[in-house]
Amino acid sequence: MSKKGGGAEESLSSREQELRLLAETIPALLPRSGPEDNVELAAQLQAILNVLPAYTWYAAPSGALTFVNKRTADYLGVPKDHPLRSGIDVGAQLGDWVPLLHPDDQEEARKYMSNLLRTGEGGEHSYRVRSAQGDYHWFLTRIEPLRASDGTLLLWVGATLDIEELKCAEQALRENEYKLRQIIETVPSLLWSAGPDGEPTHVSQRLLDYSGMRLEDFQHGGWEAFVHPAYFPETAKAFHHAIQTGTSYQAEHRLRRAGDGEYRWHHARGEPLRDREGRIVQWYGMSVDIDEGKNAVDLLRRSEAYLAEAQRLSHTASSAYNETAILYWSDESYRIYGFDPREGLPSRKAALERIHPDDRERVSEEARKAVEQKKDYKLEYRTLLPGGTVKYIEANAHPKFSPSGELVEVVSTNIDVTERKLAEHALRESETKFRDYAETASDWFWEIGPDYKFTLLTENAFGSRPADRIGTACWDHALDFETEPEKWRLLWATLDSRKPFRDFVYRGLGDNGAPMYVKASGKPVFDTSGEFRGYRGTGTDVTAIMRAQEALRESERRSRSAIDGIAGLIAVLAPNGELETVNRQVFEYFGQSLEWLKNWGTNDAVHPEDFPGVVEIFRGAMASGLPYHVDQRLRRIDGEYRWFDTRGVPVRDDSGRIVRWYLLLTDVEDRIQALARLEQMQSDFAHMNRVSMMGELAASLSHEITQPIASARNNARAAQNFLNMQAPDLSEVREALRCVVGDTDRAGDIVDRIRGHIKNTPPRKEHFDLNEAINEVLLLARSATTENEVSVRTRFSEGPLVAYGDRVQLQQVVLNLVLNAVEAMASVEARARLLLISSEQNRADEVLVAIRDSGPGIEPDHLDRVFEAFYTTKSKGIGMGLSICRSIISAHGGRLWAETKKPRGAVFLFTLPTVQVGS
């Protein structure tokens, strides 16, 4: 379509160029003259126009037609002597030549000529002109103004070409294009065309209707909204590859239908159209709706998958074969016979060899006879796989014959019945075992008729001599028939309603006349017509069990009396943790019922703050079966919560299975209060120890405080002197005042540290830098170490050493150990007095601090005694410092101990956690 249209347009364009060249050349052939030479000019112009192979003419400046050449006059049928042939001006008017045009073109021609006269510029126009024979031809006219050398318009010169054939070709082309478009629109597919670069040039109406889009939409990326998002990238990639390589394009994707928004499967194909030189001039493509076919294929695949799955689940294989080869095997056939489907169909010989050697000849012979008799056949046989596995197969075969009676194929189903065969074998063994069990078991079997009288009893029923009870009812021999009438009434109601019963226990007479307990269970029996035929069941001699249960109940009564006599609170739990019973003291403490106590998880028996932790420990113990211990507060009958030490212990039977839990709850409220008072006393002792140490350091600390104060005073006087100068030196004043501020801050820091150690505040645990805290202690003890000529060195871990605890209490420990070391080294005269303090990350959650001195050391026998209260080696000591230090470290979850340093001196070490203990 586009190729033909392009040819016609090129032809018309060529004729237009030819006409334009002719019209522009005519004035160039004439000399440029003034208006006075018009006669000679007209003669020369007429001569030129008459020899040109075209329809030519000229008109006056007014536009009135003055001359036509011979070709034009002959076409119009102008008489031989007509003035137009010789260019004689007869006073013609502008529109005299218009009637020669087709009526439909006359008005447009007038407008065109009027525009030329108005602008004075040349131009082109096409219209139909009537010939001498009365028919109309299409002409293309080019008009150019002929001017004098001074620009004066002399004439209008025109050249006209007959384009009738081109117009006819255009019309035919339009008709062909219309017909082609009609054909395209009737094709039941979505059609499109695109330029060599892939840009859409046309889409069919069917495609527009289907997509609900316009051609402009497709030209501006509309394909992305049209193709399903999941398939668009691959589609675009394939199309761009086709455009780049010039190869055919095809794809399967889903396109969105505008009517309902449904994406339907389409098969798309595109082909390039090439010119004679092989260049692509156009792309044509179509998309065919294959949604139903695609769905049918998917449905078929699903059906095949369902069939394969059904065969797999039912162990049923299908196959087809003839006398020489296997034609078809399902997936299950490969599994049953132990072949790999990747290796293709096996031969008939290979498949036959998989049949068990003991069955192979029989199977072949029975199959041969069935084919000869042209009838279906059924076989059972075993297969023997390469690994030694034996399978049982049930085969059903149907031979198919041609009209001439020749065997075409045998269609067969093969069912793997191995599980059924093994189950049948197991059932036979089970029946045998059950029969042996029935003959040797202590239980017996019985049957009664519709009148509830025995019709069958096994040999071991009621001990012996069961025949004596045939024809009697069980209650005929019962000893509790009158003493427990209610249970017998319920039994009769069950029998009369034809319902099964279980574990009915009654006391009757044994074969020796002695009482015996019997436990019976039974179910009703009906015949095929639904008529009641009696009961069938089992009986068991449970005399020993009943007596053991009575003994157990007596034991439990004694146990109850025992636990009620225990001063503490006792609870007994089931293996799963449910409360079974408690002693009398529990009822008295809580003042509630057993049912209320069983719901301890939902009432206020346990203090709300303790409840989450108690539940967590309790559930862990129930899950692990391990003993547990927890401290908790329990609500007394008067509303007071008291602390209890709770310990749970499981009791196991001979097999190790937990049969119950025993809980002992001991009231420790008084002990808790005593411990609290003891902790307060320890805190007070620690405070007294800190105050005592501050008292010992008072003289040294006063020097530490007065030294910065004196420095501040000197710096202040210097500032005054600088201000009193003739020209005050303000920079020196500022420096002196800065030093004053620094000195006073240093004195204030010392006072703050002393105040912190003296204040009696509750312990406050937090994370802090232990190295920084030790440096602060050394600053407090600097006067003591200086006075005693002790050289202090530190070997700290790199960076901050984070510990968790009360900063003041731990600084008290370090200060106490430092002062002890300084005091111990005071007696050393002959050697250097060296104090080394080190810190390190001992473990991921623990830090270690060591304080080493070069004093006389500690006797190995006294390494532990030095931490005992009131034990001292000092003449003035009371022996409480190290005891308090150890209690502080222990309260922080750490450890404090002493070692002997080689060759001399002592080492005190302590550890601290880096995180909160128990977190």
Side-chain angles (χ1 to χ4, degrees):
M1 178 176 68
S2 294
K3 184 177 181 182
K4 292 179 181 179
E9 290 173 358
E10 288 176 3
S11 243
L12 181 58
S13 177
S14 176
R15 299 299 298 274
E16 289 175 345
Q17 292 176 3
E18 178 184 343
L19 179 63
R20 186 179 297 109
L21 182 61
L22 180 62
E24 292 174 351
T25 304
I26 291 172
L29 297 176
L30 299 172
R32 295 296 181 175
S33 312
E36 65 279 359
D37 297 325
N38 282 349
V39 175
E40 183 180 354
L41 173 63
Q44 292 177 352
L45 181 58
Q46 291 174 16
I48 293 171
L49 295 181
N50 277 323
V51 299
L52 290 175
Y55 299 94
T56 58
W57 51 269
Y58 66 77
S62 64
L65 188 62
T66 305
F67 171 80
V68 296
N69 70 346
K70 183 177 183 304
R71 183 185 294 267
T72 304
D74 292 343
Y75 175 82
L76 296 174
V78 176
K80 299 291 185 179
D81 56 351
H82 195 282
L84 285 176
R85 285 181 178 266
S86 56
I88 299 174
D89 187 1
V90 293
Q93 300 299 315
L94 172 63
D96 289 349
W97 55 274
V98 173
L100 300 175
L101 305 183
H102 191 283
D104 293 343
D105 301 335
Q106 291 178 7
E107 182 62 28
E108 187 65 25
R110 288 191 183 95
K111 292 180 181 179
Y112 170 70
M113 197 63 194
S114 297
N115 186 59
L116 288 181
L117 296 176
R118 180 176 56 81
T119 61
E121 301 291 336
E124 291 178 356
H125 187 59
S126 59
Y127 42 74
R128 287 164 289 181
V129 182
R130 186 177 67 244
S131 68
Q133 290 75 30
D135 57 340
Y136 289 92
H137 279 218
W138 276 99
F139 287 87
L140 178 64
T141 297
R142 178 72 185 184
I143 304 175
E144 290 292 339
L146 180 62
R147 299 181 182 275
S149 56
D150 59 358
T152 303
L153 177 62
L154 302 176
L155 295 172
W156 291 96
V157 180
T160 303
L161 295 179
D162 189 340
I163 59 172
E164 179 65 22
E165 292 183 1
L166 291 177
K167 285 291 186 177
C168 291
E170 284 183 349
Q171 181 61 27
L173 179 61
R174 282 191 291 271
E175 292 178 357
N176 289 337
E177 287 180 342
Y178 175 77
K179 293 177 181 178
L180 179 59
R181 186 172 290 105
Q182 291 298 106
I183 294 173
I184 289 174
E185 298 302 337
T186 57
V187 174
S189 301
L190 310 179
L191 304 180
W192 52 268
S193 64
D197 57 355
E199 287 298 318
T201 57
H202 175 75
V203 293
S204 66
Q205 187 61 42
R206 188 182 298 271
L207 176 53
L208 297 177
D209 295 341
Y210 184 92
S211 65
M213 301 168 67
R214 303 171 303 166
L215 173 61
E216 292 78 5
D217 297 329
F218 287 105
Q219 291 173 337
H220 294 86
W223 288 103
E224 186 169 358
F226 187 37
V227 181
H228 192 284
Y231 300 94
F232 179 77
E234 191 63 28
T235 299
K237 180 180 178 182
F239 183 71
H240 292 154
H241 179 265
I243 296 298
Q244 293 171 1
T245 60
T247 56
S248 299
Y249 151 77
Q250 62 178 343
E252 284 189 2
H253 47 218
R254 294 163 64 194
L255 303 180
R256 185 179 184 276
R257 186 165 63 187
D260 53 9
E262 177 187 0
Y263 284 96
R264 295 179 62 83
W265 281 101
H266 283 73
H267 179 267
R269 185 178 181 88
E271 294 288 343
L273 175 65
R274 303 177 185 272
D275 59 15
R276 291 184 180 87
E277 288 76 22
R279 293 174 300 184
I280 296 177
V281 296
Q282 195 78 0
W283 282 85
Y284 291 98
M286 65 183 298
S287 295
V288 181
D289 190 328
I290 59 169
D291 196 71
E292 294 181 359
K294 191 81 170 179
N295 293 335
V297 170
D298 291 343
L299 181 61
L300 177 61
R301 289 175 179 168
R302 285 198 299 271
S303 299
E304 292 175 346
Y306 293 153
L307 177 59
E309 185 66 10
Q311 289 187 346
R312 186 186 67 81
L313 294 174
S314 62
H315 305 298
T316 302
S318 57
S319 61
Y321 56 89
N322 56 25
E323 294 178 339
T324 60
I326 296 176
L327 306 177
Y328 167 76
W329 256 23
S330 66
D331 292 342
E332 192 65 12
S333 297
Y334 289 97
R335 190 196 66 80
I336 289 177
Y337 286 90
F339 286 96
D340 189 347
R342 293 173 295 183
E343 297 178 359
L345 287 170
S347 64
R348 282 207 62 189
K349 179 182 178 182
L352 187 62
E353 289 177 350
R354 292 293 167 91
I355 298 178
H356 198 285
D358 296 343
D359 301 339
R360 193 178 300 154
E361 185 176 349
R362 173 180 60 82
V363 170
S364 298
E365 181 62 22
E366 291 185 13
R368 184 187 62 78
K369 288 181 180 180
V371 172
E372 287 180 355
Q373 298 172 9
K374 298 183 178 180
K375 66 177 184 179
D376 296 349
Y377 60 92
K378 182 176 182 180
L379 297 171
E380 287 191 2
Y381 56 89
R382 293 166 294 169
T383 60
L384 180 61
L385 302 187
T389 302
V390 176
K391 294 183 178 180
Y392 292 85
I393 308 300
E394 183 180 284
N396 292 275
H398 170 67
K400 299 176 67 177
F401 300 91
S402 67
S404 61
E406 296 180 353
L407 178 66
V408 177
E409 64 180 3
V410 177
V411 179
S412 171
T413 59
N414 303 285
I415 306 175
D416 184 349
V417 294
T418 305
E419 293 182 0
R420 189 184 75 191
K421 288 291 185 181
L422 295 177
E424 291 175 353
H425 178 69
L427 178 61
R428 287 192 293 271
E429 287 189 351
S430 176
E431 289 175 345
T432 302
K433 292 178 181 178
F434 183 74
R435 188 177 295 107
D436 294 340
Y437 169 77
E439 293 175 355
T440 58
S442 59
D443 293 356
W444 62 82
F445 297 95
W446 55 261
E447 289 184 2
I448 58 176
D451 58 355
Y452 306 142
K453 294 182 178 181
F454 290 115
T455 59
L456 172 68
L457 285 168
T458 55
E459 290 299 324
N460 59 340
F462 299 102
S464 63
R465 296 187 300 171
D468 295 344
R469 299 179 187 254
I470 299 297
T472 66
C474 65
W475 46 81
D476 293 336
H477 308 276
L479 298 178
D480 54 6
F481 184 75
E482 295 181 356
T483 58
E484 299 182 59
E486 180 61 22
K487 75 176 183 181
W488 287 102
R489 187 188 65 78
L490 294 176
L491 176 64
W492 286 335
T494 301
L495 297 177
D496 291 341
S497 62
R498 310 296 187 248
K499 294 180 180 179
F501 63 92
R502 287 185 61 85
D503 301 336
F504 175 74
V505 179
Y506 68 96
R507 192 162 61 94
L509 286 174
D511 62 307
N512 58 359
M516 70 178 299
Y517 285 92
V518 177
K519 181 173 68 174
S521 298
K523 61 180 299 184
V525 178
F526 301 89
D527 60 18
T528 55
S529 62
E531 184 177 353
F532 174 65
R533 306 301 298 168
Y535 272 81
R536 181 183 297 129
T538 61
T540 307
D541 183 355
V542 293
T543 304
I545 296 176
M546 295 299 292
R547 289 173 178 169
Q549 288 179 351
E550 179 60 31
L552 178 61
R553 284 192 290 271
E554 178 61 26
S555 174
E556 288 180 346
R557 282 193 294 271
R558 290 197 296 269
S559 297
R560 162 64 62 183
S561 299
I563 65 174
D564 283 346
I566 298 175
L569 278 63
I570 303 294
V572 182
L573 309 183
N576 62 355
E578 292 184 3
L579 182 64
E580 288 185 346
T581 185
V582 297
N583 68 348
R584 174 176 49 81
Q585 286 80 353
V586 174
F587 289 118
E588 292 175 354
Y589 181 86
F590 288 101
Q592 299 288 349
S593 66
L594 182 62
E595 290 301 319
W596 186 88
L597 294 172
K598 287 182 178 181
N599 297 321
W600 64 271
T602 58
N603 53 39
D604 58 353
V606 181
H607 195 286
E609 295 179 0
D610 304 338
F611 182 76
V614 171
V615 170
E616 181 179 357
I617 294 175
F618 179 78
R619 289 177 177 172
M622 295 301 108
S624 64
L626 299 176
Y628 74 94
H629 168 237
V630 64
D631 290 331
Q632 59 181 331
R633 285 169 288 181
L634 300 178
R635 187 177 185 274
R636 197 166 58 183
I637 187 173
D638 59 1
E640 178 187 355
Y641 282 97
R642 295 180 63 83
W643 281 102
F644 276 80
D645 177 283
T646 304
R647 298 178 185 270
V649 179
V651 178
R652 302 178 185 270
D653 58 16
D654 294 339
S655 64
R657 185 178 54 187
I658 295 176
V659 294
R660 61 176 53 87
W661 285 81
Y662 281 107
L663 268 64
L664 174 62
L665 298 92
T666 305
D667 190 332
V668 295
E669 179 68 24
D670 296 338
R671 187 178 71 188
I672 294 293
Q673 296 295 336
L675 288 175
R677 290 192 294 271
L678 178 59
E679 289 179 359
Q680 182 60 43
M681 290 174 62
Q682 289 177 338
S683 177
D684 293 342
F685 273 125
H687 177 246
M688 292 171 60
N689 179 260
R690 290 197 300 273
V691 173
S692 174
M693 285 190 295
M694 291 299 103
E696 294 178 10
L697 293 174
S700 299
L701 292 175
S702 63
H703 173 72
E704 289 293 332
I705 296 172
T706 56
Q707 193 276 334
I709 292 175
S711 177
R713 182 182 56 194
N714 292 335
N715 285 318
R717 287 175 177 172
Q720 287 178 337
N721 293 334
F722 286 125
L723 288 174
N724 292 330
M725 293 173 62
Q726 186 66 28
D729 191 342
L730 296 182
S731 61
E732 291 293 341
V733 172
R734 279 193 292 268
E735 178 63 22
L737 292 178
R738 186 187 64 79
C739 293
V740 170
V741 172
D743 292 333
T744 53
D745 288 344
R746 185 151 55 92
D749 289 342
I750 296 172
V751 172
D752 289 341
R753 294 191 190 100
I754 296 172
R755 184 184 294 112
H757 280 269
I758 293 177
K759 281 196 304 184
N760 187 13
T761 58
R764 186 184 65 182
K765 293 185 178 181
E766 60 186 358
H767 288 95
F768 65 93
D769 184 355
L770 187 57
N771 292 339
E772 180 183 314
I774 294 175
N775 280 327
E776 291 177 358
V777 170
L778 294 179
L779 184 61
L780 288 175
R782 187 169 61 183
S783 296
T785 57
T786 302
E787 180 181 347
N788 290 278
E789 299 180 349
V790 175
S791 176
V792 180
R793 298 179 185 176
T794 58
R795 189 169 62 217
F796 293 154
S797 61
E798 294 184 4
L801 186 64
V802 178
Y804 181 80
D806 185 278
R807 185 188 188 100
V808 172
Q809 288 188 352
L810 294 175
Q811 284 182 325
Q812 175 183 349
V813 172
V814 175
L815 182 59
N816 199 319
L817 296 177
V818 168
L819 293 180
N820 284 351
V822 170
E823 186 175 350
M825 288 186 289
S827 61
V828 175
E829 299 292 345
R831 59 181 180 273
R833 299 171 182 176
L834 176 63
L835 178 64
L836 174 62
I837 304 176
S838 63
S839 67
E840 60 181 274
Q841 189 77 39
N842 191 33
R843 293 202 308 258
D845 58 348
E846 184 180 81
V847 297
L848 173 67
V849 176
I851 300 176
R852 297 173 173 86
D853 63 52
S854 58
I858 304 174
E859 293 295 329
D861 295 341
H862 295 174
L863 288 176
D864 287 332
R865 291 196 62 192
V866 295
F867 295 103
E868 295 178 1
F870 305 112
Y871 176 82
T872 181
T873 59
K874 304 176 185 179
S875 59
K876 299 180 181 179
I878 63 172
M880 291 298 296
L882 290 177
S883 175
I884 293 173
C885 289
R886 173 169 277 187
S887 66
I888 291 174
I889 296 298
S890 298
H892 282 74
R895 189 166 67 94
L896 172 63
W897 72 99
E899 296 177 356
T900 299
K901 178 185 173 185
K902 299 296 184 180
R904 63 185 60 84
V907 183
F908 284 83
L909 306 97
F910 66 86
T911 61
L912 287 173
T914 59
V915 296
Q916 183 177 357
V917 177
S919 64

